[in-house]
Amino acid sequence: MKILIAEDDENSRVFLERALLSQGYDVVSAGNGIQALEKAIQASPDLIISDIMMPKMDGFELCRLVKLDERLRAIPFVFYTATFAEPQDKKLAMSLGASRFLIKPMEPDEFFKTIQKVIVNHQQSEQTEAERPVTGTAELDRMYAETLARKLEKKVSQLEDALGQLRANEERFRNTFEQAAVGIAHVALDGRFLRVNQKLADIVGYSREGLQEKTFQEITCPDDLDTDRAYVRQLLEHRLQTYSMEKRYIHKDEHLVWVNLTVSLVAATSPDPGYFIAVVEDITRRKQLEAQLFQAQKMEAIGQLAGGVAHDFNNILTGIIGFGTLMDMAMDKKDPQRQNLNHILAGAERAANLTKSLLAFSRKQVSNPLPVDLNEIITKIGKFIQPIIGEDIDLKITVSNDVLIVKADTGQIEQVLLNLATNARDAMTSGGLLTIETEPVLLDTDFMKAHGYGEAGEYARISVSDSGCGMDDTTLKRVFEPFFTTKGVGKGTGLGLSMVYGIIKQHNGFINVYSELGVGTKFTIYLPMTLSAIMEDASGEEELLEKRTATILVADDDPSVRELSEKVLGMVGITVITAEDGNDAVEKFLENKDTIDLVVLDIIMSKMNGKEVYEKAKEIRPDIKVVFISGYAADFMNNRGMLDEKLEFVEKPFNPRRLLKKIQEVLDKTN
Ligand code: ADP
Ligand code: MG
């Protein structure tokens, strides 16, 4: 048995085909009335099952034509419909000569039974009159027209509903597109922006219309374009579903904005050639913070390294300078070797200055911060700056009217200004203007957030600007690195700015630099202001080295320091007891507890540190005097208490005279 199915909906058709095949029928299918009529003639089926609503020719018309055709008239015709389910529809169908009018959905069993029955009935009665159109053509036409009109009305109202829903949906999607917190664009396959949302336009600084005249290639940073294009190719070749990348767009103002871009391809459906959906998130801020963090970490790491090396170097230099000085003292004034020795000593002093710069950069230099008026420091140091920069460069110093009290080491701040001035001079080879200004500023949390450092509060701002050659970006990024210099061999050490950086950090301040090639450079320093206006003057005059009797315990694990101290102190008649580590120091102190007048302790020693030795000694002799030796501010940082107690210390590498002077000072102090 062969059945012809006329059904435009593919799902229903395939389903029906399978169902009938499973029941052992042969099946022929058509997607519309015209096709069905052709197939009916070709295949002469035993039964036609037809939908009603179909394109090109509907089921009613199909039925009418079948029943009018001599060749086909005998084939039983069954309507199977979901949409035309009213009594009038059935009436029209039956009038057209249909055998059955079935309404979807139907239980499969019942459906098959009915089909079977139609076929059997038909075979028994062969061609009956009932299967011809029963009504006159005019009547049929009227019924047909009526049915269609009703159907159309219904369809129109369904379409209107659907359209309403579509519009609501469209509205929702539009809002999602328009109001998204990320940029979204539909991009043509050639890169043109077809549609963009406001957010994307904002990110790159264009109006939406303006952006829609651009291609993504035009606004992508050239450095990122190749990567982006390679991804696009992979999308087009279906080797990728979607890709994400961090890239830079060129803002309308020509600066770069960092974004995170995610792109997927909407495949072509004819006649639409397809397009890309791009989602764009602005990550400029995150990138800035990352860069700042990276820079801070790099400086920290270099600082650690430099500080470590400098610390060991200091011990060596202490020996060289110390023994050299001893030789110098002992030598006959006319000794021909003295000149050589002085060269050695001068070299060692230069090396000591270098290590000092390194320690300053790594924030390990001992600093002695006191409340000072920054304006006073600057006014004083200004007098030294003019001769440094020479006559071709004008110096303009403008200090604020307010007193700017900061807790600072005067010597270090002077060093900062001298280093900046020296650099400015080098940048203004044919003259120019050096400006130094101070001003109190209140930095709020917004400022801190924008720059990624510091705590909000009152700061003293020092700006040092020059009208020199300026710097390019590569130089600018590296200026604070130790040993970074663009100056020729012998001209620059590359330590000036790293020293500045370290000192400012040590003062809990921060520094930034702005520079334009050929225009000039401006360094801006912020130092936190302290309210306390107590100022101390810590200057002392050189004292004569006179003979005296005293007993001193010197503890340092560096033998050259011990030996040196022994000799220097011995020269002025002081008895020296030496100890090589913390434990040894405590033992020696116990043995000589009644005779010792003062202890000289290295802060970092094996077994027990200087601070601990001092604590032990104090338990035994509360009045004991002490001088600490160190080149390592960190020691003090870790033992903040020591600074507060105003303890005395000598910095490494020390000149023997300085140690002697310090010891005398302390001995002379009455408790
Ligand atoms: P140095 O002066 O020994 O080279 P610095 O650490 O002081 O080392 O400076 C590092 C580099 O920074 C300099 O070599 C120079 O290229 C650049 N620089 C510093 N200050 C300025 C300035 N005011 N104008 C232009 N370039 C500068
Ligand atoms: Mg310099």
Side-chain angles (χ1 to χ4, degrees):
M1 286 289 146
K2 195 185 286 170
I3 299 181
L4 172 65
I5 303 169
E7 166 70 79
D8 61 329
D9 179 61
E10 191 176 341
N11 279 335
S12 313
R13 190 171 66 233
V14 171
F15 174 73
L16 208 54
E17 278 169 11
R18 301 241 166 100
L20 291 170
L21 283 170
S22 77
Q23 294 296 308
Y25 296 107
D26 284 341
V27 179
V28 184
S29 309
N32 61 53
I34 290 180
Q35 216 180 34
L37 200 60
E38 283 166 8
K39 293 222 168 155
I41 294 164
Q42 277 167 19
S44 33
D46 301 287
L47 174 72
I48 298 172
I49 302 177
S50 174
D51 185 19
I52 294 181
M53 202 60 147
M54 285 185 294
K56 296 193 179 156
M57 183 198 287
D58 68 15
F60 289 133
E61 184 68 5
L62 175 65
C63 183
R64 200 170 70 87
L65 293 177
V66 166
K67 294 302 169 188
L68 285 176
D69 191 317
E70 290 295 334
R71 293 164 293 176
L72 305 175
R73 170 179 301 165
I75 305 171
F77 197 103
V78 172
F79 282 104
Y80 189 38
T81 175
T83 40
F84 287 66
E86 287 161 46
Q88 294 98 312
D89 300 327
K90 183 169 180 184
K91 194 169 160 222
L92 174 61
M94 301 314 280
S95 313
L96 287 169
S99 305
R100 285 289 193 288
F101 188 83
L102 306 179
I103 290 167
K104 282 183 199 167
M106 228 173 141
E107 283 296 318
D109 272 357
E110 208 188 326
F111 179 73
F112 294 134
K113 247 187 243 161
T114 315
I115 298 283
Q116 190 55 31
K117 210 149 129 203
V118 172
I119 294 172
V120 173
N121 274 354
H122 174 73
Q123 281 168 338
Q124 285 166 359
S125 60
E126 277 304 318
Q127 173 70 13
T128 61
E129 284 304 304
E131 278 158 356
R132 295 174 168 226
V134 285
T135 327
T137 328
E139 176 64 3
L140 271 180
D141 282 351
R142 192 187 54 75
M143 280 166 73
Y144 180 59
E146 259 180 34
T147 310
L148 272 193
R150 257 186 297 116
K151 272 327 101 168
L152 282 176
E153 247 168 54
K154 207 163 159 189
K155 201 74 206 172
V156 166
S157 103
Q158 275 174 4
L159 283 175
E160 271 170 1
D161 283 356
L163 196 66
Q165 278 178 16
L166 215 62
R167 285 215 180 103
N169 251 341
E170 150 91 10
E171 179 79 10
R172 276 192 288 272
F173 278 114
R174 181 178 296 281
N175 288 342
T176 314
F177 185 82
E178 297 297 345
Q179 293 170 21
V182 290
I184 306 180
H186 291 170
V187 183
L189 298 187
D190 62 6
R192 273 175 303 117
F193 287 104
L194 299 170
R195 280 169 292 276
V196 300
N197 69 354
Q198 189 57 47
K199 178 74 188 176
L200 183 63
D202 292 346
I203 291 175
V204 290
Y206 287 88
S207 68
R208 292 173 64 166
E209 296 71 28
L211 189 54
Q212 277 159 200
E213 283 163 11
K214 298 264 162 199
T215 64
F216 85 80
Q217 295 92 328
E218 282 172 286
I219 65 157
T220 294
C221 170
D223 291 348
D224 296 331
L225 200 52
D226 284 348
T227 319
D228 205 350
R229 280 193 174 127
Y231 274 131
V232 165
R233 224 171 297 128
Q234 293 191 50
L235 271 192
L236 289 172
E237 289 164 5
H238 300 289
R239 286 191 281 139
L240 276 181
Q241 293 278 329
T242 161
Y243 72 84
S244 287
M245 68 180 283
E246 288 184 354
K247 68 176 240 185
R248 286 154 293 180
Y249 280 132
I250 307 161
H251 190 275
K252 197 175 178 203
D253 299 346
E254 294 184 345
H255 67 265
L256 294 177
V257 274
W258 270 104
V259 300
N260 188 18
L261 168 74
T262 305
V263 182
S264 51
L265 173 66
V266 177
T269 48
S270 69
D272 185 350
Y275 58 95
F276 300 108
I277 299 180
V279 177
V280 177
E281 188 194 352
D282 188 345
I283 56 166
T284 308
R285 182 84 198 101
R286 196 191 84 202
K287 280 283 173 190
Q288 276 168 357
L289 288 178
E290 272 174 13
Q292 276 166 6
L293 187 67
F294 176 73
Q295 179 68 6
Q297 280 172 342
K298 189 173 77 179
M299 296 305 273
E300 193 62 40
I302 298 176
Q304 292 282 347
L305 181 71
V309 173
H311 185 232
D312 291 345
F313 214 68
N314 253 348
N315 280 335
I316 300 168
L317 288 172
T318 304
I320 296 175
I321 295 173
F323 290 112
T325 311
L326 283 184
M327 255 173 102
D328 185 40
M329 285 166 150
M331 240 180 218
D332 190 284
K333 296 267 177 279
K334 292 185 193 108
D335 194 315
Q337 291 302 332
R338 251 187 114 189
Q339 214 181 352
N340 294 338
L341 180 61
N342 283 332
H343 280 306
I344 294 176
L345 281 176
E349 282 298 343
R350 273 205 306 278
N353 276 333
L354 271 182
T355 39
K356 203 164 165 182
S357 312
L358 273 180
L359 284 170
F361 165 67
S362 64
R363 279 165 275 149
K364 281 172 177 157
Q365 195 190 38
V366 176
S367 105
N368 199 5
L370 295 169
V372 287
D373 181 4
L374 196 62
N375 288 338
E376 207 181 300
I377 299 181
I378 288 179
T379 315
K380 264 193 203 160
I381 197 71
K383 300 194 182 75
F384 294 95
I385 288 178
Q386 188 67 65
I388 290 176
I389 56 178
E391 286 165 7
D392 290 346
I393 298 171
D394 290 326
L395 174 66
K396 197 173 147 225
I397 297 181
T398 320
V399 296
S400 67
N401 292 327
D402 317 78
V403 188
L404 298 177
I405 303 297
V406 294
K407 207 166 172 214
D409 181 311
T410 305
Q412 288 189 326
I413 298 299
E414 287 171 352
Q415 186 74 62
V416 164
L417 290 159
L418 289 176
N419 289 5
L420 293 177
T422 315
N423 282 343
R425 176 202 62 200
D426 294 347
M428 296 186 280
T429 39
S430 43
L433 176 65
L434 172 64
T435 319
I436 303 175
E437 287 166 313
T438 64
E439 204 179 0
V441 286
L442 188 68
L443 301 187
D444 54 11
T445 35
D446 283 349
F447 175 93
M448 298 299 166
K449 263 193 211 138
H451 289 79
Y453 43 57
E455 264 171 46
E458 276 197 283
Y459 285 79
R461 178 167 69 196
I462 314 168
S463 324
V464 180
S465 336
D466 64 59
S467 57
C469 58
M471 289 174 257
D472 58 20
D473 273 355
T474 340
T475 306
L476 203 54
K477 274 195 189 122
R478 302 189 55 191
V479 281
F480 295 116
E481 280 176 27
F483 305 116
F484 173 79
T485 177
T486 56
K487 298 168 192 172
V489 182
K491 286 195 178 139
T493 57
L495 285 173
L497 286 179
S498 42
M499 199 171 167
V500 168
Y501 181 87
I503 290 174
I504 298 304
K505 280 275 165 205
Q506 196 170 22
H507 282 78
N508 296 318
F510 30 90
I511 177 165
N512 55 45
V513 49
Y514 177 80
S515 188
E516 258 180 66
L517 264 183
V519 178
T521 303
K522 178 175 186 169
F523 287 89
T524 313
I525 294 169
Y526 297 88
L527 293 174
M529 296 225 270
T530 48
L531 292 173
S532 100
I534 322 144
M535 288 200 261
E536 297 171 33
D537 192 8
S539 61
E541 278 306 302
E542 202 51 56
E543 274 170 49
L544 286 170
L545 309 177
E546 58 196 42
K547 290 258 177 197
R548 62 192 309 155
T549 46
T551 304
I552 291 179
L553 171 70
V554 177
D556 194 313
D557 43 14
D558 186 334
S560 65
V561 173
R562 289 199 302 272
E563 217 176 303
L564 190 63
S565 323
E566 225 173 345
K567 288 197 176 159
V568 176
L569 299 174
M571 276 181 1
V572 291
I574 292 174
T575 312
V576 177
I577 304 167
T578 57
E580 58 186 41
D581 61 41
N583 281 351
D584 192 25
V586 174
E587 269 172 37
K588 297 263 170 67
F589 186 77
L590 275 172
E591 285 167 21
N592 304 284
K593 62 177 187 302
D594 297 324
T595 49
I596 291 177
D597 299 298
L598 181 146
V599 288
V600 177
L601 301 169
D602 189 13
I603 290 188
I604 295 184
M605 281 189 292
S606 54
K607 308 234 172 98
M608 195 186 288
N609 71 34
K611 164 92 172 155
E612 286 165 327
V613 173
Y614 176 54
E615 294 296 336
K616 287 241 151 74
K618 239 181 11 181
E619 278 169 27
I620 302 160
R621 284 265 312 275
D623 63 325
I624 191 68
K625 291 175 170 174
V626 65
V627 171
F628 287 102
I629 310 176
S630 179
Y632 229 31
D635 315 341
F636 288 89
M637 298 304 171
N638 296 338
N639 297 291
R640 271 180 190 286
M642 301 182 72
L643 278 184
D644 298 344
E645 282 180 51
K646 291 245 168 66
L647 291 169
E648 304 289 347
F649 52 84
V650 187
E651 238 176 275
K652 267 187 201 172
F654 52 79
N655 183 305
R657 288 192 184 92
R658 194 148 23 101
L659 175 67
L660 193 56
K661 195 178 145 228
K662 178 62 87 180
I663 285 173
Q664 288 181 338
E665 248 172 57
V666 177
L667 283 175
D668 288 344
K669 254 198 224 162
T670 43
N671 279 1

